[in-house]
Amino acid sequence: MQQFKGKGIGKGVAIGRIFFYDKGEEAVRRETIDSVDAEIERYEAAKAKATEQLQKLYDKALVEVGEENAAIFEVHQMMLEDEDYNDSISNIIKTEKVCAEYAVATTGDNFAEMFANMDDEYFKARSADVKDISERVVRVLSGRETTSDLEEPVILVAEDLAPSETVQFDKSKLLAFVTRLGSANSHTAILARMMSLPAIIGIDIDKSWNGKQAIVDGYKGTITIDPDDDYMKEMLLIRHRDEEHRKLLQQLKGKPSVTKSGRKIKLYANIGGVKDTGAALDNDAEGVGLFRSEFLYLESEDFPTEDTQFQAYKSVVQNMAGKQVVIRTLDLGADKQVGYFDLGDEDNPAMGYRAIRICLDRPEIFKTQLRAIYRASAYGKVAIMFPMIISLDEVLQCKKYVEEVKQELKAENIPYSEDVELGIMIETPAAAVISEYLAKEVDFFSIGTNDLTQYTLAIDRQNAKLESINDSHHPAVLELIRMTIENGHKGGAWVGICGELAADTSLTAKFIEYGVDELSVSPAFILPVRAEIVNTE
Ligand code: PEP
Ligand code: MG
């Protein structure tokens, strides 16, 4: 038995096998082979498996993101059957007597280049797809699976994980996350908590762990490889205790989130998409306080259309059945990158071209999203909030686009609600400092403590090296929160907190003392926070 210690960023205990997630960035080697026939057979078998995976992805996407977005996996299956593509692979194997991995990778590169040089926009766009299918077949050939191929749930161990990778994982196949890099407020950590999974960062991971039995202790931040019987018994007990505690918390379902002195706090859920509404409702969320709409973009291969977005927002709003749903407009950039946006490299992306800055710079994208949200507002209680605000001018610009969109919908006779509350995220010190003026322009504030901590302490939330001083409890952060709540109220806005700090039960009483109106947390934290609220004076 071997134990390694890092930092726990998602609580709980997980017991299972390790799946070492390799991004597949290793170069494909050109190895010579003895039997051409056997190699072609290997390729055919890998192609069949890749087709099977694509079919499964299609079925899953159809349910989760609709037919339009799922169609890409059908296109990929067709491309795998293309005669020229297959001829090229078998020719390379036959003439050069090389392994299938090399033949597929070379064909993929050649075809991608050919497509990229075409004038027709449709074929140009297929360049990335042909690379994608080739990488999939190479992964199958070299045994580097992805989680969707796994039979049983696993402990996922990786060097680092980007949000765009994390959202691809099949959640039903995951028990825990363990990485070397990452930080407590990174979006990957947030996703782990959204999935209620134990997670640890800062572990000196080792590829040889792949397939081994292990225990992740998210409380102590340890991973234990090949645990002995005594340790296993001890951890099974803790897991059992957690289950009992969860059952106890169930008694708070249906109870109001009211303090002993009678103050009602709105206890909302943070979600990343339609699929999280089940967990939000199961955990008795009183609304959605933060719908991170950018996950819709991260999960797409191309810009999601107005209709695709409308369907997603409408489903969330309908699932929440009259409870308020606060949709945050697109917050891409920094660690949340999508290829088709082509945001470009930046020296300092955390302080760069992101969130509302992109939206105000590219109004066609912004207005498409606003139209989709307003259309969904006809089906329930919708609110909109804008991320990364630093100035009054930005708020006024956002409101101008909102007005334009409403006028357009009216002219087109498309129904929408006039009761959509407009709010902003307070996640920059600039916004907190001028919050008294901002409050007069909006219905509500939602304090994003993850970014507020990052910008107040000048610590990149992605930087694992600074994790020990990345302290959201820093007095400067707490003072900005207190001040924002006070100023929000002065200007007539209600004030919530939707960053990770909202789920920190050691601060619940303090936030209530500051006068917070709403707390929005990952679904798994709703009942623990309610337990704290009902015990507060
Ligand atoms: C925040 O910054 O606290 C927040 C809620 O937004 P995100 O974590 O998505 O940046
Ligand atoms: Mg933020």
Side-chain angles (χ1 to χ4, degrees):
M1 161 169 137
Q2 268 184 309
Q3 192 168 73
F4 301 84
K5 186 157 169 44
K7 179 171 178 183
I9 53 157
K11 293 189 178 126
V13 168
I15 302 174
R17 294 209 172 277
I18 288 181
F19 172 72
F20 196 95
Y21 175 69
D22 195 327
K23 294 184 193 208
E25 280 164 357
E26 287 167 20
V28 171
R29 294 235 296 273
R30 186 182 192 281
E31 283 175 15
T32 45
I33 45 135
D34 297 328
S35 162
V36 165
D37 288 346
E39 205 57 19
I40 290 185
E41 241 172 66
R42 257 188 87 224
Y43 166 65
E44 290 297 338
K47 189 174 84 174
K49 189 159 179 197
T51 306
E52 215 176 281
Q53 289 176 359
L54 288 164
Q55 184 59 40
K56 279 192 196 149
L57 283 173
Y58 175 80
D59 295 341
K60 185 167 167 257
L62 195 62
V63 180
E64 289 181 0
V65 289
E67 199 171 345
E68 202 181 326
N69 286 308
I72 188 66
F73 298 115
E74 244 179 0
V75 173
H76 281 195
Q77 288 182 58
M78 277 167 1
M79 289 175 92
L80 262 182
E81 292 306 326
D82 181 80
E83 214 178 304
D84 293 340
Y85 178 78
N86 282 281
D87 284 351
S88 163
I89 291 168
S90 48
N91 279 340
I92 294 176
I93 297 176
K94 277 183 204 154
T95 54
E96 300 186 36
K97 292 211 170 4
V98 285
C99 62
E101 285 89 333
Y102 179 80
V104 174
T106 307
T107 301
D109 287 348
N110 292 345
F111 274 60
E113 200 183 324
M114 181 180 80
F115 282 135
N117 289 329
M118 287 183 174
D119 286 336
D120 185 308
E121 285 306 314
Y122 176 82
F123 283 109
K124 254 194 199 330
R126 299 285 74 80
S127 174
D129 294 319
V130 77
K131 258 192 111 62
D132 207 356
I133 58 163
S134 307
E135 277 164 13
R136 177 176 297 283
V137 177
V138 169
R139 269 202 314 271
V140 175
L141 280 163
S142 51
R144 287 198 300 255
E145 298 164 294
T146 61
T147 51
S148 45
D149 316 322
L150 297 167
E151 310 263 299
E152 49 167 20
V154 292
I155 294 169
L156 193 124
V157 174
E159 179 70 16
D160 193 14
L161 291 168
S164 57
E165 288 168 313
T166 317
V167 293
Q168 310 291 342
F169 296 135
D170 181 347
K171 293 160 195 74
S172 65
K173 300 279 173 61
L174 293 176
L175 296 171
F177 283 110
V178 177
T179 61
R180 187 198 304 275
L181 302 174
S183 62
N185 275 342
S186 65
H187 285 97
T188 303
I190 291 170
L191 281 166
R193 286 192 283 270
M194 289 276 284
M195 296 180 213
S196 317
L197 293 178
I200 338 175
I201 54 172
I203 294 279
D204 215 359
I205 56 164
D206 193 322
K207 222 172 173 172
S208 68
W209 296 351
N210 196 30
K212 290 192 175 168
Q213 179 78 11
I215 299 180
V216 171
D217 179 347
Y219 300 106
K220 293 201 176 123
T222 58
I223 178 165
T224 307
I225 317 290
D226 292 331
D228 63 25
D229 288 350
D230 285 348
Y231 186 67
M232 178 66 87
K233 269 189 212 138
E234 190 190 321
M235 297 314 282
L236 280 168
L237 268 178
I238 296 182
R239 203 171 67 171
H240 179 69
R241 185 203 64 191
D242 283 356
E243 274 155 21
E244 292 300 307
H245 183 60
R246 254 195 299 274
K247 278 189 208 146
L248 211 67
L249 285 173
Q250 297 300 309
Q251 295 172 4
L252 285 170
K253 271 196 189 172
K255 301 255 162 67
S257 307
V258 177
T259 64
K260 285 184 180 161
S261 57
R263 264 203 58 210
K264 168 89 187 81
I265 309 294
K266 294 191 272 189
L267 189 49
Y268 284 6
N270 292 349
I271 65 166
V274 186
K275 57 194 177 307
D276 298 327
T277 51
L281 291 167
D282 275 355
N283 287 284
D284 213 15
E286 295 158 25
V288 167
L290 168 62
F291 177 174
R292 286 184 164 95
S293 68
E294 58 277 6
F295 284 108
L296 215 69
Y297 292 71
L298 284 169
E299 287 164 352
S300 287
E301 301 266 331
D302 205 342
F303 290 97
T305 61
E306 180 185 316
D307 253 356
T308 305
Q309 294 190 57
F310 164 62
Q311 292 302 341
Y313 304 146
K314 180 178 149 198
S315 300
V316 169
V317 170
Q318 284 182 325
N319 289 357
M320 294 308 292
K323 293 177 172 172
Q324 187 166 43
V325 176
V326 180
I327 303 175
R328 170 173 78 186
T329 59
L330 186 60
D331 186 6
L332 280 180
D335 61 322
K336 287 180 283 194
Q337 294 285 340
V338 282
Y340 59 87
F341 255 84
D342 215 3
L343 295 177
D345 286 340
E346 290 178 281
D347 285 344
N348 204 344
M351 296 218 196
Y353 190 57
R354 57 170 293 200
I356 204 66
R357 298 169 182 183
I358 301 175
C359 287
L360 294 178
D361 190 40
R362 297 173 75 172
E364 72 290 357
I365 294 174
F366 193 34
K367 283 180 74 176
T368 302
Q369 178 170 39
L370 290 173
R371 278 180 65 98
I373 298 175
Y374 265 93
R375 283 172 61 192
S377 73
Y379 297 83
K381 194 174 176 199
V382 169
I384 303 177
M385 70 176 170
F386 306 105
M388 275 293 287
I389 293 292
I390 57 165
S391 70
L392 189 62
D393 180 57
E394 285 172 340
V395 180
L396 298 177
Q397 284 191 62
C398 290
K399 288 174 72 174
K400 181 191 82 153
Y401 286 120
V402 163
E403 268 321 301
E404 279 180 25
V405 161
K406 282 166 65 177
Q407 291 314 320
E408 281 171 24
L409 292 175
K410 200 176 277 171
E412 293 165 42
N413 269 328
I414 297 176
Y416 67 88
S417 165
E418 284 290 354
D419 295 324
V420 173
E421 286 194 316
L422 295 181
I424 55 172
M425 291 194 68
I426 302 289
E427 48 185 352
T428 62
V433 170
I434 60 167
S435 50
E436 189 177 341
Y437 309 101
L438 297 176
K440 298 192 175 97
E441 291 297 330
V442 294
D443 299 305
F444 68 96
F445 287 160
S446 189
I447 306 176
T449 54
N450 310 331
D451 278 316
L452 188 61
T453 303
Q454 152 164 272
Y455 297 120
T456 305
L457 304 186
I459 291 178
D460 181 348
R461 64 197 266 194
Q462 294 295 111
N463 193 332
K465 268 197 210 137
L466 301 175
E467 197 49 25
S468 64
I469 55 164
N470 193 358
D471 177 19
S472 295
H473 289 220
H474 190 292
V477 177
L478 295 180
E479 176 53 18
L480 287 175
I481 295 173
R482 190 204 60 74
M483 196 179 114
T484 299
I485 297 173
E486 186 179 271
N487 285 340
H489 288 168
K490 265 195 224 157
W494 60 266
V495 186
I497 303 176
C498 66
E500 294 302 285
L501 221 51
D504 185 334
T505 48
S506 69
L507 290 172
T508 310
K510 195 182 268 296
F511 292 151
I512 292 174
E513 189 192 312
Y514 289 169
V516 79
D517 301 292
E518 177 241 29
L519 293 169
S520 190
V521 300
S522 292
F525 291 96
I526 291 172
L527 295 176
V529 172
R530 181 172 294 159
E532 206 57 41
I533 293 172
V534 299
N535 277 324
T536 301
E537 267 313 312

